[in-house]
């Protein structure tokens, strides 16, 4: 987890720096920037809701044989930690995008910060989503004992 998290953070910061350095959004009007940041806020809130629903699904299948085995080996805790970290990342990106939307000064820098946060959370989602898919695809009905 730590390597993917570090790589995701490095990639996000690099992308944010490149956007700033090359002025990729500097020429957009304030209205266009606010529209873009509003879109990022919608994405962040939607993904935050998705992650909370996925955590509820994980909690509801906690008694399943696969999940009990994952709990014994420690994989369940790792999966939960990744989901919680991703939930926090999308929560931070939601707050960041909303603050950027309300920014009156330095709107371009606030937008770059919002892009960086959303990108970081999305990169974390790739890892968490892959692991969640592995769990769901390996679920089989419990046999009656």
């Amino acid at each position: 987890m730590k390597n993917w998290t570090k790589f995701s953070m490095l990639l996000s910061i690099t992308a944010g720096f490149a956007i700033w350095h090359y002025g990729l959004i500097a020429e957009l009007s304030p209205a266009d920037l606010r529209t873009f940041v509003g879109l990022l806020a919608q994405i962040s809130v939607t993904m935050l809701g998705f992650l909370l629903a996925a955590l509820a699904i994980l909690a509801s299948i906690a008694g399943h044989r696969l999940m009990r085995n994952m709990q014994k080996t420690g994989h369940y805790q790792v999966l939960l930690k990744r989901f919680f970290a991703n939930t926090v990342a999308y929560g931070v990106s939601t707050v960041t995008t909303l603050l950027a939307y309300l920014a009156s000064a330095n709107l371009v820098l606030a937008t770059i910060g919002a892009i960086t946060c959303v990108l970081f959370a999305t990169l974390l989602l790739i890892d968490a989503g892959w692991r969640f898919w592995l769990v769901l695809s390996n679920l089989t009905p419990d046999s009656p004992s």
Side-chain angles (χ1 to χ4, degrees), residues 52-67:
L52 292 174
L55 281 169
I57 291 170
L58 281 176
S60 71
I61 61 173
H64 193 277
R65 183 173 33 100
L66 173 65
M67 301 311 283

Side-chain angles (χ1 to χ4, degrees), residues 91-119:
V92 169
S93 72
T94 298
V95 170
T96 304
T97 54
L98 292 175
L99 290 175
Y101 187 80
L102 298 174
S104 56
N106 295 326
L107 182 57
V108 171
L109 288 178
T111 302
I112 292 170
I115 292 168
T116 302
C117 287
V118 172
L119 180 59

Side-chain angles (χ1 to χ4, degrees):
M1 175 180 170
K2 292 180 182 177
N3 288 338
W4 180 253
T5 303
K6 288 178 184 177
F7 174 74
S8 299
M9 186 171 288
L10 180 64
L11 186 61
S12 302
I13 291 170
T14 303
F17 178 77
I19 291 169
W20 170 77
H21 181 73
Y22 293 109
L24 298 177
I25 62 170
E27 296 177 6
L28 295 176
S29 70
D32 288 340
L33 286 175
R34 288 194 199 290
T35 301
F36 180 67
V37 169
L39 177 66
L40 290 178
Q42 289 176 349
I43 291 169
S44 293
V45 169
T46 301
M47 295 313 298
L48 183 60
F50 164 76
L51 285 167
L52 292 174
L55 281 169
I57 291 170
L58 281 176
S60 71
I61 61 173
H64 193 277
R65 183 173 33 100
L66 173 65
M67 301 311 283
R68 288 191 305 267
N69 289 339
M70 288 179 66
Q71 288 171 349
K72 289 177 187 173
T73 62
H75 290 94
Y76 187 72
Q77 288 76 17
V78 170
L79 183 63
L80 284 180
K81 285 179 185 178
R82 289 177 191 232
F83 266 93
F84 280 122
N86 202 201
T87 302
V88 168
Y90 269 114
V92 169
S93 72
T94 298
V95 170
T96 304
T97 54
L98 292 175
L99 290 175
Y101 187 80
L102 298 174
S104 56
N106 295 326
L107 182 57
V108 171
L109 288 178
T111 302
I112 292 170
I115 292 168
T116 302
C117 287
V118 172
L119 180 59
F120 174 66
T122 303
L123 289 171
L124 289 183
L125 181 65
I126 292 169
D127 182 51
W130 170 248
R131 293 177 188 285
F132 189 56
W133 169 253
L134 289 174
V135 168
L136 293 180
S137 65
N138 285 303
L139 285 177
T140 56
D142 279 335
S143 59
S145 25

